[in-house]
Each structure stands twice: as structure tokens, then as C-alpha cells.
Amino acid sequence: MLFVVAAISRIATRPEIPAAKPEPLISHSVQRPILSAHESDAERCSLQIPVNIGQAVLLGSLDQSAGMHSVQLTWLDDAGELAVDDVPNTWPPLVTRTLPEPSVLLNDEQRPVQFEPAIPASTASQDLKPSAADRRHRRFVVPFFCGQLVHDRVVMATEIARGQRVSVYLADGDAGAYETDSATGSSLSGELAVTSLVHSQAAALEVATDIIQRAEQRLLPFVEHRLCRIADLDGDGRLSLVLAELSVEGPDDQRIEPPVTGCVRPDDFRVGGTDLNHDGSGCDIVYLTCRLPEGEERDAVLAHEFAHAATFCLLNERPDPLSELPGWLNEAIAHVIEHQVSPHSVNLKNRLQRFIQEPSGFPLVIPDGLPHLTVRRGPARAAACLFLNATLPRHSDDCLRRLVQSSEAGVGRLEYVTGRDFRELFRDWGLFMMASTGRFPEYCIDSDQDVLLRLAGTSCTWTTTATQKGVLHIQAPPDARLQITIVNQTSSTTGRQVRRHAGSSH
């Protein structure tokens, strides 16, 4: 705790930070999940299945606790006609499927959606800059990410730019983020930092102007068409965007890597909620880092956070209580919209690359009660985004809205929108990845070396195509709820290039 206060005081002079209070925040960041498994050999289930030449095996875990399970695969020589062992009661029945035609996970040739400007562009930044008399100064409670905790940081902020629907505030004391040497881009300090204050304010205004134009002309109309209009709960006529430091910068152990670029509090969009910024009435606030990326990456961050804001507003529209929207599904919806707006988003692409390297390590379904922030971030978000893209494309444009509005719990929302059982949606998701052009790892089974792998709940992996007839002996804990699919390869997929793992622990 002392370290946190010291780290924050180095950024700027700010009011004292209240005691650490974890918040149910939605953030735009990435971390690798920290998962563990606890099982003994005595608790493991065993199953033997015959595998013919040209077949592969798809393994998935239907465990929705985000636990990590140890799975062992052993190849046995063909012993003639062998029936499948009795499938453990905790596992669904084994089925056979044919691999679908090759598909593309994220098309590199995709282009951002084309927007029709909703509000004419301003001709100069002065058009958006409020006069000194009109400027508003407000108190905000800004979330600050440090290690595994989220702290409430009380700041005063000044409105530096104002559009028709959006106001941008800059946290007092955080303008130092814009104090840079124009020639080198390096941070200034001491007297040079003081003399650069005017330049930093101009730089902050330039960023704020760009944010307003992107938001009002393109992003807000796009997001609201797919979800709902973001409510004006505080009655000021505009959505409040707060530029502030959101996470520890520098080489300290407590920093978030990469830094948080944006986040939204559910209570800031809840009428009568117990929020921190405006007694009981909500404040319609989106928090953005002072170091917001430029260009298409800025679109990605804004679209992602606006999607969260619209989602929270949509959840509050119905008078009757709704079942809680799971955080993992909330993030998946925001990433789907982010991808539609910015298909080349580095934020999403980095997550995807890490997920492709180890699909069995990152769960789709992540319980909100899991204590680690890192479990709710990272490649698992890419998995959930791709899962929705693969599951919902055949449905209408309002499918995301229906997903949020459904009163079903958990994955029941997906079943309601698609009309299909989650177990089959999950199996099809595994087949979709097997048939994709992504370079996923595959496990070589028809050898004399055992394969040891780690399989997270609601993740999947698969084997290479068998080149000889044999028997696959599978051992896994009962709570893995292992879903096993024998996959017949199609002629168009047998020659695809993959990365192979043989007999190694994942």
C-alpha cells in the first residue's frame, strides 16, 4: 500500500488515495491468465477410443469454472476391433463429426466499417474549446490500476473541449503526460517541464478535439445502432470523457503491462446506483488514459469503451431485474464491436496471437468471482470475441442487443439468441478453429510418446490426423467434463500447415 501511494505521488500531486477497493471495472488491457489445477491420480477418469487412419480427436472442457485440467494422451497399437470404453458420467457422450471447410479467423484484408458522419466536423479546435467563463470544473473518482488492485483516486478535472454530445475533461495535475520534447518525444522534467506547460495544454486540446470528432461523427452512432443510445444520467447533455492517469507507468513491479487505456464503471451508468461520482444518479463517464494511442488504435479504444457504456445502459432499460451479464461476455461484445470498427487493432491482434499459440490455456467462460484481475484479461478475450464472431454471424444485426437484453443466466443467453445448446456451440467452435487458417498447435498422437497437456475449462485443443490405426487412451480429472469429438478430415483440409507438438507438456 505504501508503494502504491509513492508510485502515484511521482506522477503528479494529487489528493490522498482512499484505501484499496476493488471495483467491478471493464478495462482495455491484457494479461496472461493465472490458473491452477488440483487433482490426484486417484481422481482421474480413463477412456479408450479407437481411431482410424485419417481421423483426428478434438478435446474440449465444458467446465465453466475456468479451472485448469491435466490431460494425458497415450497411443496404443491397434488390437483389432475395440469398442469405446464406458464414458465417465461427468463427460458428455463421444460423437463423430466431419471437419468443415477452411475458414479465416480474422481476415487481414478486412477494412474498418464505413461511417456516415452523424455530426459535421468542426473546422478548428477553437470551435470545441469552451470559453474560460463556460469551463466546468468537476470532481471525479478515477480508477487507478496497480498490480492486482484497483484504487479510487479522487481528482478535480477541468473541461478542455466540448462537442454536441461529448465533453472531455483533463484531470488536474495529469497534464504532465503531454509535456514532451517536440523533437525527440522524450519526457521533460524540472524547469523545462514548467516552460512546456502551455505546449502540453495545447497538445491535450488537440487530443480532446480528435476524440470528440471521432466519437460524434462515427463511433457513437455506430455503437448505439448495435446496442442502444448512451444515457445522459447527470443531465448535462453530454457524455463525460475523463483523460487521466489510469495505471502505474515505468519499471515498477506494480505496473499493468501494457498500461490500461480505458475503462468504464457500471455504476456510472446506473440510475439510483451506489456510485462514487454523483450521489445516486449516475454520471455517464468514460475514463481514458492521457496516453491514448493515435489513429485506428484510438478508434479501437473508444469503440470498445463506448460499447461497454451502451451495454450498461441497455441493461438498465428494462424495469424488471435482469440476470447479471457475465464479465467475459461483456468483454466479448465490446471486442466484437471494436473489431468491426478497427479490424487491425493491435490490442486485439496481440491477444489473438497469444491465444493461437496456446488455445488450450485460455477459457471462454470466466466466473466474475475469480479474484485475479489477470484471469479476466488477455488472450481469453480474443477467444471470446472469435467465439461470438463464429457463433452469431448468421443472425440479425440486433443479435448483440438481444444477447444483452436476455434474462437468461450465463451461457443461456447464447442459447436464447442462437436457439442451440451451448455444448454444440462449443463443439462447433472447436471445429471452426481446427478448420481455420490460423497456425494453431496440434498434438501428434500416433507415436510411442505420451502427450501431456493442460486444458482450461471451456477451452479446446486437438490432435493431428492419425496416419495409422490405433487406440487413444485419454486420462483426465472428472471435473474437466471432457467433450471428445472424433473428426473425419475432408480432402480440402488434410494438407493444411500446422505447428505440431509431440509428447510435450503444454
Side-chain angles (χ1 to χ4, degrees):
M1 184 62 179
L2 292 177
F3 171 80
V4 173
V5 174
I8 294 175
S9 64
R10 288 198 297 270
I11 297 177
T13 302
R14 297 171 179 147
E16 184 179 356
I17 300 174
K21 177 184 177 183
E23 288 289 332
L25 294 170
I26 301 297
S27 63
H28 197 80
S29 183
V30 55
Q31 284 288 338
R32 192 180 190 282
I34 301 174
L35 304 174
S36 61
H38 304 282
E39 73 264 356
S40 66
D41 290 340
E43 297 173 324
R44 297 175 71 81
C45 294
S46 180
L47 177 67
Q48 291 187 352
I49 55 175
V51 179
N52 291 320
I53 297 174
Q55 291 182 328
V57 179
L58 170 64
L59 301 171
S61 169
L62 290 171
D63 166 36
Q64 296 186 25
S65 72
M68 186 70 81
H69 308 285
S70 174
V71 179
Q72 180 173 328
L73 308 178
T74 303
W75 183 258
L76 306 175
D77 291 336
D78 181 22
E81 294 298 324
L82 177 69
V84 177
D85 281 358
D86 290 336
V87 178
N89 292 332
T90 57
W91 298 358
L94 181 147
V95 302
T96 301
R97 293 285 186 271
T98 298
L99 195 66
E101 292 299 314
S103 56
V104 178
L105 283 176
L106 288 181
N107 191 348
D108 289 336
E109 299 302 319
Q110 255 184 301
R111 297 288 182 265
V113 292
Q114 297 299 313
F115 301 97
E116 290 293 333
I119 299 176
S122 299
T123 56
S125 60
Q126 286 79 6
D127 297 338
L128 300 175
K129 182 179 179 182
S131 65
D134 290 337
R135 282 191 179 187
R136 290 177 290 184
H137 300 271
R138 288 176 56 180
R139 170 187 175 276
F140 292 95
V141 181
V142 176
F144 190 82
F145 292 78
C146 185
Q148 290 294 319
L149 297 176
V150 182
H151 302 272
D152 297 328
R153 183 165 71 88
V154 180
V155 304
M156 293 301 296
T158 302
E159 184 184 31
I160 60 174
R162 180 190 305 168
Q164 294 186 36
R165 288 204 56 199
V166 173
S167 286
V168 179
Y169 291 82
L170 176 62
D172 297 348
D174 286 2
Y178 300 102
E179 294 173 4
T180 59
D181 185 327
S182 59
T184 64
S186 60
S187 298
L188 300 175
S189 59
E191 293 182 2
L192 288 177
V194 174
T195 58
S196 70
L197 182 59
V198 174
H199 297 291
S200 67
Q201 292 174 339
L205 177 59
E206 183 179 351
V207 171
T209 300
D210 182 63
I211 289 173
I212 291 173
Q213 292 176 343
R214 290 173 184 269
E216 294 188 342
Q217 294 169 32
R218 300 177 295 162
L219 299 176
L220 282 175
F222 180 82
V223 171
E224 291 176 337
H225 174 70
R226 281 152 181 78
L227 293 170
C228 77
R229 186 175 177 86
I230 298 176
D232 176 26
L233 296 179
D234 56 13
D236 67 351
R238 295 175 179 85
L239 175 66
S240 298
L241 307 184
V242 180
L243 292 171
E245 300 282 6
L246 299 181
S247 58
V248 173
E249 299 289 339
D252 301 303
D253 294 338
Q254 297 299 308
R255 73 185 188 278
I256 301 293
E257 186 61 41
V260 175
T261 55
C263 58
V264 175
R265 272 196 182 98
D267 274 352
D268 287 334
F269 292 88
R270 181 178 295 134
V271 176
T274 310
D275 65 89
L276 301 167
N277 288 288
H278 199 277
D279 296 340
S281 65
C283 257
D284 48 273
I285 304 166
V286 173
Y287 306 93
L288 301 169
T289 179
C290 292
R291 296 170 174 82
L292 205 60
E294 299 179 355
E296 191 176 331
E297 286 302 303
R298 183 169 294 176
D299 281 344
V301 175
L302 293 174
H304 185 104
E305 302 309 331
F306 292 161
H308 283 313
T311 295
F312 292 135
C313 291
L314 190 57
L315 287 170
N316 295 327
E317 278 191 352
R318 284 175 52 176
D320 54 315
L322 293 173
S323 62
E324 197 69 26
L325 178 68
W328 71 271
L329 192 51
N330 197 329
E331 286 294 350
I333 291 169
H335 278 298
V336 166
I337 289 180
E338 171 191 344
H339 177 247
Q340 292 172 347
V341 167
S342 180
H344 306 297
S345 163
V346 173
N347 171 69
L348 185 56
K349 184 168 289 188
N350 288 344
R351 286 182 167 101
L352 176 64
Q353 289 173 346
R354 295 178 62 196
F355 169 68
I356 288 176
Q357 293 170 0
E358 190 185 359
S360 64
F362 303 106
L364 286 174
V365 178
I366 302 177
D368 290 334
L370 254 57
H372 298 291
L373 283 174
T374 51
V375 177
R376 301 195 297 270
R377 294 178 178 157
R381 291 192 186 180
C385 172
L386 295 176
F387 178 77
L388 288 191
N389 277 341
T391 303
L392 301 177
R394 298 181 302 277
H395 301 276
S396 61
D397 289 342
D398 69 344
C399 59
L400 295 180
R401 184 184 303 115
R402 294 172 58 212
L403 199 58
V404 176
Q405 288 180 313
S406 169
S407 59
E408 301 294 330
V411 299
R413 293 173 181 266
L414 292 164
E415 295 176 330
Y416 168 76
V417 173
T418 63
R420 302 182 64 206
D421 189 279
F422 174 74
R423 292 171 295 183
E424 288 308 306
L425 292 173
F426 181 69
R427 192 193 309 276
D428 285 352
W429 158 240
L431 294 170
F432 171 82
M433 286 194 291
M434 284 186 71
S436 76
T437 57
R439 295 181 59 82
F440 286 101
E442 292 185 340
Y443 289 91
C444 182
I445 53 171
D446 50 356
S447 68
D448 57 0
Q449 190 173 10
D450 288 355
V451 174
L452 302 174
L453 60 92
R454 310 291 278 177
L455 188 66
T458 57
S459 76
C460 54
T461 190
W462 51 93
T463 72
T464 56
T465 303
T467 58
Q468 57 181 313
K469 189 176 180 180
V471 176
L472 185 63
H473 182 203
I474 302 173
Q475 298 180 71
D479 57 0
R481 297 189 60 203
L482 207 60
Q483 184 188 66
I484 304 172
T485 308
I486 303 297
V487 182
N488 294 314
Q489 302 281 347
T490 61
S491 58
S492 60
T493 58
T494 53
R496 69 188 190 283
Q497 296 296 315
V498 294
R499 293 185 293 115
R500 298 194 174 192
H501 292 260
S504 60
S505 179
H506 213 212

